Amino acid sequence: MIGLGTGGIERIVALGAHCDDIAIGAGGTLLTLCAAHPGVRVDALVLSGGGTERETEERAALAAFCQEADVDVTVLKLPDGRFPAHWEEAKNSLEELRRRTDPDLVLSPRTADAHQDHRGLATLVPTVFRTHLQLEYEIAKWDGDLAKPTAYVPLTPEIAEQKVRLLQEHYASQRHRPWYDREAFLGLARIRGIECGQRYAEAFDLKKLTLDLTPKG
């Protein structure tokens, strides 16, 4: 397996349909990136949960996941599970975010995700962030929609443990769910780690990549 780097990262866009999507799918990646690039700008946009306890949880959680970063969080009030009926509002919010930033990396849900809200957001991303590196994160669920990923971000054991701890600490509203536990989060990270020759990893779909193969310096 070939390891490819991204070079310098100064701006990240993180997108979620629901509060906790970003942290579950890419929390370890954010922890890794923000520690490696102090002062990096992270613009997070979440489509639902605005004005509820979930927004409060999300803001605290993303602040913890991005401690070394300059973080801006926007949480909209689209109704959970009804994303297709609010397509225009979601598209407008993405376009407004794009006018404010030109990111080096976009983190978003998978277009192959079985949840209609995740899938709907994912299909909008490349229509707005057309020339950007986009990593589509995965979220385990009862639908059984996990597939073979195309990109991996290795996580140190310390980062993997920190991710699980922060998920449990900040999203109290989700602790009652049968899939929301340490075994699920760390187990998937361990499997993805095996697949890329590491102890732990987060996995992503990567639809398009432009390679610069010219020698540097």
Side-chain angles (χ1 to χ4, degrees):
M1 177 175 291
I2 298 175
L4 298 176
T6 58
I9 292 182
E10 298 180 357
R11 295 172 300 277
I12 300 170
V13 162
L15 304 171
H18 315 101
C19 297
D20 77 13
D21 286 353
I22 295 169
I24 292 173
T29 297
L30 284 175
L31 286 167
T32 301
L33 284 172
C34 291
H37 303 275
V40 63
R41 172 72 178 191
V42 179
D43 287 287
L45 173 64
V46 182
L47 297 185
S48 65
T52 71
E53 66 170 337
R54 306 239 30 220
E55 178 178 358
T56 302
E57 290 178 342
E58 184 76 336
R59 291 185 179 280
L62 292 181
F65 275 98
C66 306
Q67 289 185 21
E68 303 298 324
D70 176 17
V71 186
D72 182 75
V73 180
T74 301
V75 183
L76 303 182
K77 298 181 179 181
L78 274 62
D80 188 356
R82 299 292 185 271
F83 172 84
H86 298 266
W87 187 269
E88 184 175 0
E89 185 177 352
K91 178 69 177 291
N92 289 342
S93 67
L94 284 177
E95 290 177 340
E96 194 279 329
L97 175 57
R98 175 64 183 90
R99 286 190 289 268
R100 292 191 283 112
T101 185
D102 184 22
D104 303 299
L105 172 64
V106 178
L107 300 169
S108 64
R110 297 169 58 238
T111 51
D113 196 295
H115 193 297
Q116 70 272 17
D117 291 352
H118 300 173
R119 187 172 63 250
L121 172 57
T123 59
L124 281 177
V125 176
T127 72
V128 177
F129 296 94
R130 293 181 177 273
T131 60
H132 300 80
L133 175 61
Q134 179 191 358
L135 294 179
E136 296 185 339
Y137 57 74
E138 60 183 355
I139 297 177
K141 61 183 72 66
W142 72 272
D143 306 81
D145 62 355
L146 296 180
K148 184 176 182 179
T150 52
Y152 299 85
V153 174
L155 306 178
T156 66
E158 293 77 17
I159 290 290
E161 291 283 356
Q162 185 180 8
K163 172 185 175 178
V164 173
R165 178 178 59 79
L166 292 176
L167 286 171
Q168 294 289 355
E169 178 180 339
H170 288 285
Y171 295 104
S173 66
Q174 305 303 299
R175 292 175 190 154
H176 69 284
R177 299 185 182 276
W179 52 267
Y180 199 90
D181 60 30
R182 171 186 168 81
E183 289 179 309
F185 298 134
L186 209 57
L188 180 58
R190 178 68 184 110
I191 291 171
R192 295 317 191 193
I194 291 171
E195 293 174 351
C196 67
Q198 303 290 327
R199 182 65 184 176
Y200 298 106
E202 285 179 338
F204 301 87
D205 283 351
L206 176 59
K207 293 295 192 297
K208 187 180 293 187
L209 178 67
T210 300
L211 296 174
D212 180 357
L213 301 179
T214 59
K216 302 300 180 184

